[in-house]
Amino acid sequence: MGTAFDHTTLGQRVVFGTGAAVENTVAAVLRLGAERVLLIAGDSATATADAVAAQVPIAVRIREVVQHVPEADAAAAADRARAADCDAIVSIGGGSATGLAKAVALRLGIPVIAVPTTFAGSEATDVWGITDAERKTTGTDPLALPRTVVYDADLLAGLPGDLAVASGLNAMAHAIDSLWAPRADPINRALATEGMAALILGLRALRAAPADRDARELMLYGTYLASVAFASAGSGLHHRICHVLGGAFGLPHAPTHAVMLRYVVAFNAPASPDAAARISAAFAGAPAASALFAFEEELAAPRSLAELGLAQDDIAHAATLTLAAVPASNPRPVTLEDLERLLHAAWAGAPFERGRP
Ligand code: NAD
């Protein structure tokens, strides 16, 4: 059979303008005709949020944003927005702020204008996540897809270097996991491949010179492409593992992705020649997995799951939880022993030769 696929492109407006976040956000609110805005922005986005609030009608403002969207926070935010009859949401911040906005949008059916300040990429997906009693539930819904994304590389000028690296590797994970995810197709593979190349260049430049504005722009470009690919392709083995580590064991989102990615690539790349070739091409022809190990070393990325707080005794349970979620599309069959080996290597931060699962 020849090539056959069924691809959906999500509809979203993207406004990219360095130094223009406030102006572009205000214009996006006006364009939606919103008159009672719910503004969500944590501490790191206070100045931008204040400037937006001075120019658009804010009915409710939420300043506390925590990771993984606790159900109680989502319900409380939705109640406040409903009581104030909010007609749009502006979220300024990382994936946690975007996530809270999505949770309210789902409940109220009102549009989100997302203004990202990390490379998490949630702004470009229709994926939502809620955590209740230590269990993280995710799903997709058109209502969760922000109507407009406002990118401004200046908003990331204060992102601490280690966080920028971890977050950028979270974006890399969107690109790479898309290559073998359940709905991988030629369109999302093309987006992932271009996104990955931009992120590699951007991360190197950003690590060398944190003030480099062009590098931050390149990173946001790569972040967006990688997330569009991920939203289209669905979550592969890497995301299934990280979902368990974050949801059931409370590990921090971006650093967990940063640690796990190289081990998943070492596991999957030999069974996926197309993915291996794309990753290798992005690293100037070096073999995919060893190149990624070297790249993360060069970036001084988070090294091990142990340093992120996973107890060694939890590995068996994490492997069991993950096994049930392994996608049938994975290029290599995955056993419980495989997952345990993979998690042990990542837990210890084993180098490539010893960490190869
Ligand atoms: P985050 O939003 O929790 O931000 C991490 C920390 O960085 C916070 O303390 C925040 O205040 C600070 N910060 C953010 N931007 C900053 C800036 N520009 N300068 C200085 N400090 C800044 O973390 P994250 O990694 O961006 O997002 C993680 C969350 O997003 C998780 O809950 C994850 O599940 C979700 N997520 C969802 C999707 C999706 O498609 N639905 C994709 C990726 C991540």
Side-chain angles (χ1 to χ4, degrees):
M1 197 174 86
T3 302
F5 59 88
D6 178 342
H7 178 95
T8 301
T9 298
L10 300 176
Q12 181 178 64
R13 179 166 175 249
V14 179
V15 187
F16 201 109
T18 301
V22 174
E23 177 189 335
N24 287 339
T25 304
V26 170
V29 171
L30 284 177
R31 191 175 158 127
L32 289 180
E35 292 174 344
R36 303 185 59 75
V37 171
L38 164 62
L39 176 62
I40 299 174
D43 289 346
S44 63
T46 299
T48 311
D50 286 348
V52 169
Q55 297 182 60
V56 302
I58 305 297
V60 176
R61 180 163 172 178
I62 292 177
R63 297 166 194 267
E64 292 82 37
V65 177
V66 302
Q67 198 150 285
H68 300 311
V69 194
E71 164 65 29
D73 290 17
D79 285 348
R80 289 180 65 191
R82 197 179 289 111
D85 203 16
C86 288
D87 53 5
I89 305 167
V90 171
S91 65
I92 311 173
S96 299
T98 314
L100 181 59
K102 287 176 163 188
V104 176
L106 274 179
R107 289 165 162 81
L108 269 65
I110 56 177
V112 175
I113 298 168
V115 188
T117 66
T118 68
F119 307 120
S122 175
E123 65 279 0
T125 81
D126 57 359
V127 180
W128 55 265
I130 304 256
T131 307
D132 196 5
E134 309 288 299
R135 243 185 70 102
K136 187 172 177 183
T137 309
T138 59
T140 59
D141 194 301
L143 286 173
L145 180 73
R147 184 81 58 87
T148 308
V149 182
V150 174
Y151 281 117
D152 178 348
D154 279 354
L155 298 187
L156 288 86
L159 196 61
D162 288 348
L163 193 55
V165 163
S167 188
L169 288 165
N170 183 190
M172 279 278 283
H174 288 138
I176 290 177
D177 213 27
S178 294
L179 298 174
W180 43 58
R183 297 185 305 278
D185 66 36
I187 298 175
N188 50 47
R189 281 199 185 99
L191 293 164
T193 304
E194 170 68 10
M196 178 169 48
L199 291 166
I200 291 169
L201 283 175
L203 272 165
R204 281 205 169 110
L206 208 55
R207 203 33 143 179
D212 187 341
R213 219 183 187 201
D214 293 345
R216 277 180 268 125
E217 287 193 342
L218 192 58
M219 287 298 297
L220 286 178
Y221 166 69
T223 293
Y224 177 74
L225 295 184
S227 280
V228 172
F230 170 68
S232 168
S235 67
L237 178 63
H238 170 83
H239 275 79
R240 304 299 169 102
I241 296 173
C242 292
H243 179 86
V244 166
L245 294 174
F249 300 96
L251 263 58
H253 184 82
T256 302
H257 279 265
V259 169
M260 255 348 280
L261 185 62
R262 54 192 183 270
Y263 297 99
V264 174
V265 168
F267 182 80
N268 265 353
S272 179
D274 177 76
R278 287 170 189 267
I279 298 166
S280 167
F283 284 112
S290 59
L292 190 59
F293 270 74
F295 180 59
E296 293 210 35
E297 181 83 34
E298 174 192 333
L299 295 175
R303 197 171 277 279
S304 69
L305 297 180
E307 76 189 31
L308 301 183
L310 185 72
Q312 194 169 10
D313 288 351
D314 284 333
I315 290 177
H317 186 39
T320 305
L321 290 176
T322 305
L323 188 66
V326 171
S329 69
N330 198 62
R332 181 171 163 183
V334 184
T335 65
L336 188 63
E337 293 68 37
D338 289 334
L339 288 171
E340 285 184 354
R341 232 177 18 257
L342 205 64
L343 285 165
H344 268 291
W347 181 84
F352 176 61
E353 281 312 324
R354 279 197 291 121
R356 197 185 336 216

